[in-house]
Amino acid sequence: MLLKIRESAVRGARFLIEEAHDADVGQNSVQQYSLEKNEHFILAANGNTVELVLDKELDREKQKEINLLLTALDGGSPQRSGTVVIHVTVLDANDNAPVFSQAVYKASLPENSPIGTLVITVSATDADEGVNGDVTYDFGHVTDEVMKIFSIDSKKGEIRVMDNVDYEVTTSYEIRIKAKDGLGLSSYAKVIISITDVNDNAPVVSLKSLTNPIPEDTPAGTEVGIINVQDRDSENNRQVRCSIQENVPFKLVPSIKNYYSLVTTGQLDRELVSDYNITITATDEGSPPLSSSKTIQLSVADINDNPPVFEEQSYSAYVSENNKPGSSLCTVSARDPDWRKNGTVIYSLLPGEVNGASVSSYLSVNGDTGVIHAVRSFDYEQFRSFKVQVMARDNGSPPLSSNVTVSVFISDMNDNSPQILYPAPEGSSFMTELVPKAAHGGSLVSKVIAVDADSGQNAWLSYHIVKATDPGLFSIDLHSGEIRTQRDISESDSMKQNLIVAVKDNGQPSLSATCSMFLLISDNLAEVPELKDISYDEKNSKLTSYLIIALVSVSTFFLTFIIIILGVRFCWRRKPRLLFDGAVAIPGAYLPPNYSDVDGTGTLRSTYNYDAYLTTGSRTSDFKFISSYNDNTLPADQTLKKMNNSFEFGS
């Protein structure tokens, strides 16, 4: 017998079953029924009606089918029975909600997991069957953020990643999951997703404070900045080491947690390095490690710690004499590596004297450019060089300075004509030389002496005979000015010879001077007819007579002395010798004090000796004869023959 009963049937529910049939009648027919003892049903028989009464609710999820053994008994003797099996099928009712396998699910998810990564799978079962046991999954009441990041498969219960997961934003998620059957019964479970940190954040270096610029005299160990380092990762991933490049005079000193002090390690010098680009590198201890850098620009402020330095240790300026006042001589230049006013250089002359006068009366210097100008015109003949001190001072506070020596050299210009010392210039006196008639060719007759106040080639003198009474009789040495006979003097030569000598220097352009030289070819002044007719003023006649007597006396004494000397030397050598080895020299009266020893510039060498005898009228005319000759003069015996008449007097 098949019987279907819904499990939702309540207790006491009656289910009519078919009665038993017995062919006997009466007492031998069916008299009673009995039901095999069971948990859920009892038997209720009333007459011919037989019912199963539900004594305990059915639960299909525990027992889907129940077999009951029903026995029918008659009243005969012997008693007979019949049995039937009642197969009760328990029909399902939606009386069970889905049940999760775990009340709380836990999962670990690395941050930055790719989209689609399976996080966890939830599972719920429903004891019901069919539609009643068909379970679907969904999120419970969750935030929009969770809905954005995660998704759940409604059939499989798989939770997957839909968006980027960032540990630094949220370290864990708690999600409520709902499982629902086909007719609306549901249940809930909790899913806790822990986000594990991945070293995906580099350290961040930030500057909290900085002293900028810093003076270059800042002592070592001074704190100039504070650095903070942060890493959003966790554990080892957030452990950070900081470093700084090695080529800067700075270091990092750890301070409180995640803070570092930027400290100087040595002396700063703005003139060497004026700006520093300090790169601070922070590296975490993740795997692989990440790092970041920050560059700090730090300027060094200038202090006035450098004096101006001249480009040269000393300067030399060259200027030609007769320069124009205000002309520039040279430029001094000093550099100061300091900045702005500390490096602005001002030039000035240090006080001093040049030839007893203030240096400012000779030179001036431009304070800004260092150009040195001449204040006056210089004269090489007064002084040839002098030195001054130039100071370069900066505008710092306090100012620093340095000095340099400037040597000024004055170069000579050919601005002085030759000055003839002998014979005396025209107009001052009338000079006449006596030339013995017996003079041979090459004999020294006289000498023109001249000097030039210039120097160098400007003072190189040359002598030229520009006009002569007899051009072939006398010649003059180009460099020494010595006048010599070119040939022997003959009787036909004019007794009175006039030479005009020009003295030229070697300057550009050349300057020159001329003089007249008067020569008398005679052994005795009395032979000169022009001299016999000379008349004197009455006031000078007595004086002239006295002078003549004095000269005759002196000449006689001189000749006697010469004869004695010659006799003695003749006895010693017994051969003719020259009277003197030296030649004629100009009297000192003709030489100005500034030209006492200027050998090589045209003056007469000291080997020549001249004797001058002047009369009372010497201011208008002088006579001079050669008292001795060098190797080219007359022999001694010829000289003695003429000695009696060889004297000098003035008319």
Side-chain angles (χ1 to χ4, degrees), residues 470-625:
D470 187 351
L473 181 56
F474 300 101
S475 66
I476 188 167
D477 188 272
L478 180 64
H479 301 295
S480 66
E482 294 178 349
I483 299 176
R484 296 179 180 271
T485 57
Q486 296 191 71
R487 57 178 174 80
D488 296 343
I489 296 177
S490 63
E491 295 294 335
S492 61
D493 291 328
S494 173
M495 180 180 298
K496 192 175 182 181
Q497 297 288 331
N498 185 17
L499 303 179
I500 298 178
V501 178
V503 183
K504 297 181 179 180
D505 60 27
N506 198 37
Q508 294 295 331
S510 177
L511 300 178
S512 64
T514 59
C515 67
S516 296
M517 178 71 72
F518 296 95
L519 303 176
L520 293 177
I521 303 175
S522 175
D523 294 330
N524 193 336
L525 291 177
E527 298 178 357
V528 184
E530 290 84 358
L531 298 178
K532 295 178 182 179
D533 299 332
I534 296 177
S535 60
Y536 301 95
D537 294 337
E538 182 179 358
K539 63 180 179 179
N540 293 329
S541 60
K542 290 184 179 181
L543 180 59
T544 302
S545 300
Y546 294 147
L547 289 176
I548 293 174
I549 295 173
L551 287 175
V552 171
S553 301
V554 172
S555 298
T556 303
F557 174 77
F558 177 73
L559 292 175
T560 304
F561 178 79
I562 293 298
I563 292 172
I564 294 173
I565 294 299
L566 291 176
V568 173
R569 297 188 65 180
F570 181 80
C571 293
W572 284 353
R573 303 289 178 89
R574 296 190 179 276
K575 60 180 179 179
R577 296 181 60 87
L578 299 179
L579 292 179
F580 298 100
D581 292 334
V584 188
I586 286 298
Y590 289 101
L591 295 175
N594 293 335
Y595 306 102
S596 59
D597 187 11
V598 281
D599 186 25
T601 59
T603 60
L604 193 63
R605 294 192 301 271
S606 60
T607 56
Y608 296 98
N609 297 301
Y610 287 85
D611 295 327
Y613 300 93
L614 306 179
T615 64
T616 56
S618 60
R619 52 182 191 274
T620 57
S621 65
D622 294 325
F623 293 92
K624 184 168 177 52
F625 74 98

Side-chain angles (χ1 to χ4, degrees), residues 303-309 336 338 341-342 344-346 391-403:
I303 63 170
N304 192 27
D305 58 345
N306 290 281
V309 177
D336 193 320
D338 293 325
K341 69 175 185 178
N342 293 334
T344 302
V345 179
I346 300 174
M391 179 180 68
R393 175 180 59 83
D394 60 29
N395 270 336
S397 180
L400 301 178
S401 64
S402 60
N403 302 334

Side-chain angles (χ1 to χ4, degrees), residues 246-265:
E246 296 181 355
N247 59 343
V248 292
F250 299 93
K251 68 177 180 179
L252 288 176
V253 178
S255 182
I256 59 177
K257 185 178 180 180
N258 297 329
Y259 282 88
Y260 295 84
S261 296
L262 183 63
V263 178
T264 60
T265 60

Side-chain angles (χ1 to χ4, degrees), residues 48-81:
N48 291 328
T49 303
V50 181
E51 294 177 327
L52 289 176
V53 179
L54 184 63
D55 188 49
K56 182 181 180 181
E57 290 85 356
L58 298 175
D59 189 352
R60 191 201 67 82
E61 285 72 34
K62 292 182 179 181
Q63 191 173 8
K64 295 182 180 181
E65 293 179 351
I66 301 173
N67 292 319
L68 300 175
L69 183 61
L70 179 63
T71 301
L73 299 172
D74 59 14
S77 179
Q79 190 177 28
R80 295 184 180 273
S81 63

Side-chain angles (χ1 to χ4, degrees), residues 212-229:
N212 193 18
I214 57 174
E216 61 179 324
D217 60 347
T218 300
T222 302
E223 181 182 85
V224 296
I226 298 177
I227 309 298
N228 176 251
V229 181

